[in-house]
Amino acid sequence: MRRQLVSGAVMAVALFGISVPYAFAAEISAQDELFMMQAHQGNLAEIAAGQDAQKNATTSCVKNVGAVLVRDHSKLDWDLKMLAGKLNVTLPGSPSAEQKKELAAVQAKAGSPAYDAAWLTTQDAAHRKTLALIDQELKGGKNAEVKAAARSARPVVAMHLDMVRGGASHAGKDAGMVRAGSGGHLAAADSPLATVGAAGMASGGLLAAVGAVWFWRARRRPAAHR
């Protein structure tokens, strides 16, 4: 009888300590996947645009803004790719056709002051679109980790918009390397689903400890008392 109870405790650990959090982590909607794919393309486009500005801009201010975009969007995209791998989401290999076309139009003005103005105006529009994309995910997304990644990215994108707002360069708005999270892995602290999973793990651990002590004491008792 005692062995059956111990086996039951072990089963409880398996059910509540392991299955629950993993089931919640695997839940991902079409909205979540679409956000990850579009955010990745946005990151690639901003990295390419930032690198181009560092090469072709005629003012140091725009070059500096370009460097900030490369720095921050590289970090954001590294985190996003780690999360995509965890959730088995396949990301596109390049920016969208529209994003490539926009960069090509700016590059056509390389070597003239018109380049800087066109680059800033394009980045103003691009970062407004990215903020709208993030807000859509925060409102309608389902996966806690994907939403946490969007929440972490928002202040970074908002800072970039301040740096190019109105098609003018405001490099002084750079707040330095903004901590963009770790691809949503901080979601456990915010998600009620993750809290349930953590509670399950804690209760499972307690059951395991009680079961182990019970089994040990049962083995030490004389056979006549079992």
Side-chain angles (χ1 to χ4, degrees), residues 160-186:
H160 293 172
L161 178 56
D162 285 341
M163 296 179 74
V164 298
R165 191 178 296 276
S169 179
H170 308 284
K173 296 288 187 179
D174 178 21
M177 176 64 77
V178 179
R179 292 189 64 184
S182 54
H185 299 141
L186 299 181

Side-chain angles (χ1 to χ4, degrees), residues 2 12 40-41 47 90 92 95 108 113 120-121 128 134 181 183 203 206 216:
R2 286 192 177 94
H40 173 61
Q41 288 184 306
I47 292 169
T90 301
L120 289 165
T121 299
R128 290 180 190 275
I134 290 173
S203 62
L206 178 60
W216 177 77

Side-chain angles (χ1 to χ4, degrees), residues 49-205:
Q51 291 172 336
D52 199 72
Q54 289 177 288
K55 177 182 178 182
N56 293 315
T58 61
T59 62
S60 60
C61 184
V62 173
K63 289 179 182 290
N64 291 338
V65 175
V68 171
L69 297 193
V70 173
R71 180 195 72 193
D72 291 345
H73 282 283
S74 294
K75 174 64 168 61
L76 288 173
D77 204 52
W78 188 92
D79 290 341
L80 186 63
K81 288 188 290 188
M82 293 300 101
L83 182 58
K86 178 181 178 181
L87 299 177
N88 295 317
V89 174
T90 301
L91 299 176
S94 65
S96 69
E98 181 183 357
Q99 290 165 335
K100 292 178 180 178
K101 183 178 179 180
E102 289 173 350
L103 179 58
V106 174
Q107 289 174 324
K109 298 177 174 61
S112 71
Y115 173 94
D116 297 50
W119 189 90
L120 289 165
T121 299
T122 300
Q123 290 309 309
D124 179 290
H127 283 83
R128 290 180 190 275
K129 290 179 182 178
T130 301
L131 283 179
L133 178 69
I134 290 173
D135 289 341
Q136 182 179 10
E137 171 63 18
L138 292 177
K139 181 179 179 180
K142 301 299 182 184
N143 185 276
E145 290 186 290
V146 178
K147 292 181 72 173
R151 189 178 301 112
S152 296
R154 198 184 194 287
V156 184
V157 177
M159 181 189 75
H160 293 172
L161 178 56
D162 285 341
M163 296 179 74
V164 298
R165 191 178 296 276
S169 179
H170 308 284
K173 296 288 187 179
D174 178 21
M177 176 64 77
V178 179
R179 292 189 64 184
S182 54
H185 299 141
L186 299 181
D190 302 323
S191 171
L193 297 180
T195 301
V196 173
M201 293 184 71
S203 62

